Amino acid sequence: MVNDQEARLSFASRMFKTLLFWVILAIVLGSLLGYILPTWAIVPFATFNDLFGKFLGFIVPLIIVGLVTPAIFELGRSGGKWVLITVIIAYVSTLLAGFATWGLSEVLYPYLLAGQQVPDLVSPENAVASIMDPSFTFPPVFGVMTALILAFVLGLGMSAVAAEKLMEVSKEFRKLVMLVITKVVVPLLPVHIFGIFLNMAKSGQFVTVLMALGKVFLFAFILTILAIVLQYVLAGVVAKRNPFSAIWGMKEAYFTALGTSSSAATIPVTIQCTRGNKVSQEITDFVIPLCATIHLTGSVIKITAFAVALQYMLGIEVATSTMVSFIFMLGVIMVAAPGVPGGAITASQGVLQGMLAFTDPMYAIMVAMYVAADSFGTAANVVGDGAIAIVVDKLADGSLGDQAVASLEQTDEIIHGRVN
């Protein structure tokens, strides 16, 4: 009895510390209090959202440079054949997930979200007067697209000339960016989301938006299941294995990821399940830790599904070329995304606002839905890693050969740089 109580207290303590808990609390409180609070009570949250939104606009280009530059350098410098092959497979998998989600969304949303459009998502700083001077802002050092191009130029350039000293500076800057994400951006996101849902309830938009996004939530979940099946069918074709038997072999990893919402925390179970799928220990120990930080198909599915849903609900038409560019760049951001809770959606803000012109309220809703769906998205990421391991095992014939030690060291360095 005592052990059961301790277990419940331990679980409650862990939940209290998760981003998911605070996001759900922000949504619930915001939606309830928005109906009863007077306008003057919303002013502090309007002011906070005004400042926080401007701060995000300033910091996002720096986040992109800080994360993408060292990622490009590390992958380019590795020179390891199997590192590059694994990264390419992960990137292609990510692109397929993004384009498939986009295509299905365009076909199904006119039926799924019929009659649930909203004219606009009113932000607290516009609906309620903020005490901030409207002319006050944090001008970014450069734009999002400039940041992406600069990151590629620096990463590839430093790799080409072996600029080790400059790379050390880049790594230190990445640590600074990670500190800002983990200590400032992610902890304040629930407050930002609270302000957005407070305003939606006040303006009468909450019920419409929540009903619509509830359908999209279910749609995204189904897509992650379909993505897992497709990945293992393709892996089964390459390796001549039964894909459904391999999927069943990953069930423990899937349910562990549902509970932890962390690819990194699930690595030991993912390794065990992958070895159970008759992938060699050498390949498993190389592919699974690496893919835990670069293969985020579940995350791409969620971001794409929610982004297209918001566009449809608001009547925003985006050019085909823009969406294609968005998915390609989102794939790059996912490969370079940090291994921290909320890191992927934080890093993707640049392409959401820079390429799709998302407003702060739209991005806040993206964050809320992304975090709420984090568990099944992470589970899809984790199980997909096992499919890539099967493919690499077949291509490498079960061994990394003479590059084994070097490849494993490169993997450890890449992982260490992203999660520390």
Side-chain angles (χ1 to χ4, degrees), residues 311-329:
Q311 290 170 357
Y312 181 81
M313 290 169 60
L314 292 167
I316 299 173
E317 294 187 4
V318 178
T320 299
S321 59
T322 300
M323 280 302 299
V324 170
S325 301
F326 165 74
I327 292 173
F328 272 103
M329 294 312 303

Side-chain angles (χ1 to χ4, degrees), residues 36-304:
I36 60 177
L37 288 180
T39 300
W40 61 263
I42 303 178
V43 171
F45 300 101
T47 303
F48 171 80
N49 276 26
D50 190 8
L51 287 171
F52 189 67
K54 290 172 180 177
F55 173 72
L56 286 178
F58 167 79
I59 200 67
V60 163
L62 299 179
I63 288 176
I64 291 173
V65 172
L67 297 181
V68 176
T69 300
I72 297 297
F73 175 87
E74 288 164 344
L75 296 176
R77 184 189 61 171
S78 69
K81 179 176 70 173
W82 294 113
V83 172
L84 297 179
I85 288 175
T86 304
V87 171
I88 289 171
I89 294 173
Y91 183 63
V92 170
S93 176
T94 300
L95 291 183
L96 289 175
F99 282 114
T101 302
W102 174 37
L104 289 171
S105 299
E106 292 289 345
V107 172
L108 296 177
Y109 281 171
Y111 305 98
L112 192 65
L113 302 178
Q116 293 184 313
Q117 290 78 18
V118 293
D120 191 13
L121 290 175
V122 184
S123 60
E125 61 270 24
N126 293 330
V128 179
S130 168
I131 63 174
M132 294 300 303
D133 184 343
S135 63
F136 177 77
T137 186
F138 302 113
V141 179
F142 35 68
V144 171
M145 290 308 299
T146 300
L148 286 168
I149 295 171
L150 179 62
F152 271 90
V153 171
L154 288 176
L156 293 174
M158 290 189 300
S159 176
V161 301
E164 296 292 340
K165 292 183 179 179
L166 191 56
M167 183 54 198
E168 289 303 315
V169 174
S170 180
K171 287 182 176 180
E172 291 297 322
F173 185 59
R174 176 168 59 187
K175 290 181 181 178
L176 175 60
V177 166
M178 291 290 292
L179 183 66
V180 172
I181 291 175
T182 57
K183 301 299 183 182
V184 180
V185 176
V186 172
L188 290 178
L189 281 176
V191 183
H192 189 47
I193 291 169
F194 172 76
I196 296 298
F197 279 84
L198 186 72
N199 179 75
M200 284 198 301
K202 188 75 173 176
S203 63
Q205 296 174 330
F206 176 74
V207 175
T208 301
V209 173
L210 188 65
M211 287 180 62
L213 292 183
K215 295 178 182 179
V216 179
F217 188 95
L218 179 61
F219 173 68
F221 170 73
I222 294 172
L223 286 184
T224 60
I225 300 299
L226 293 177
I228 290 173
V229 173
L230 179 59
Q231 287 171 336
Y232 276 85
V233 167
L234 294 176
V237 170
V238 172
K240 296 181 174 57
R241 297 187 186 181
N242 185 330
F244 299 101
S245 174
I247 292 174
W248 182 251
M250 299 296 294
K251 61 184 181 297
E252 291 183 15
Y254 185 88
F255 288 108
T256 301
L258 284 178
T260 63
S261 295
S262 170
S263 297
T266 313
I267 285 176
V269 181
T270 311
I271 286 177
Q272 180 182 357
C273 293
T274 304
R275 289 178 183 172
N277 275 340
K278 299 180 181 179
V279 177
S280 72
Q281 179 176 341
E282 187 176 314
I283 298 297
T284 300
D285 292 349
F286 164 67
V287 172
I288 297 303
L290 177 60
C291 283
T293 65
I294 67 172
H295 184 228
L296 305 176
T297 53
S299 301
V300 169
I301 288 172
K302 292 186 298 179
I303 292 173
T304 306

